[in-house]
Amino acid sequence: MKLKNIDQVNELIAAVDDCKGDVFITSEYGDKFNLKSKLSQYVAIAALIGDHAQDLELWCTDKEDEYKMLKFLDEHSEILE
């Protein structure tokens, strides 16, 4: 799922925290942030609100989590590219 500017960072992190498996954000430069890690969340948030916010993709390792994130993104469709 390709993302663009995300203003609902807290809601995104809450949705990620509800997931069982890993949730990753990757950049076109090869950076990969595991959003299940609190440290990675801080780095990813900087990318989400910084210059690379339009170059990010969201990945889930668990199919059920993928559905949860799709529901979140459907509710916040403005962040999808």
Side-chain angles (χ1 to χ4, degrees):
M1 296 168 259
K2 196 127 175 127
L3 306 176
K4 60 181 182 179
N5 293 331
I6 298 177
D7 295 325
Q8 305 83 1
V9 173
N10 291 331
E11 293 91 341
L12 174 65
I13 297 302
V16 168
D17 288 343
D18 191 42
C19 292
K20 295 178 194 173
D22 290 324
V23 179
F24 295 96
I25 286 188
T26 58
S27 76
E28 66 179 7
Y29 305 106
D31 301 320
K32 188 173 187 177
F33 305 105
N34 183 344
L35 293 181
K36 295 297 279 189
S37 160
K38 294 299 179 188
L39 178 60
S40 290
Q41 284 178 359
Y42 290 115
V43 176
I45 288 169
L48 289 171
I49 59 178
D51 294 336
H52 303 294
Q54 304 223 5
D55 304 323
L56 301 172
E57 291 190 52
L58 183 73
W59 303 92
C60 299
T61 59
D62 185 284
K63 274 289 190 201
E64 289 180 31
D65 294 341
E66 199 171 295
Y67 294 120
K68 289 178 189 177
M69 295 309 297
L70 284 171
K71 181 180 178 199
F72 169 80
L73 293 171
D74 186 48
E75 293 169 0
H76 302 298
S77 59
E78 67 277 3
I79 65 176
L80 286 174
E81 188 171 70

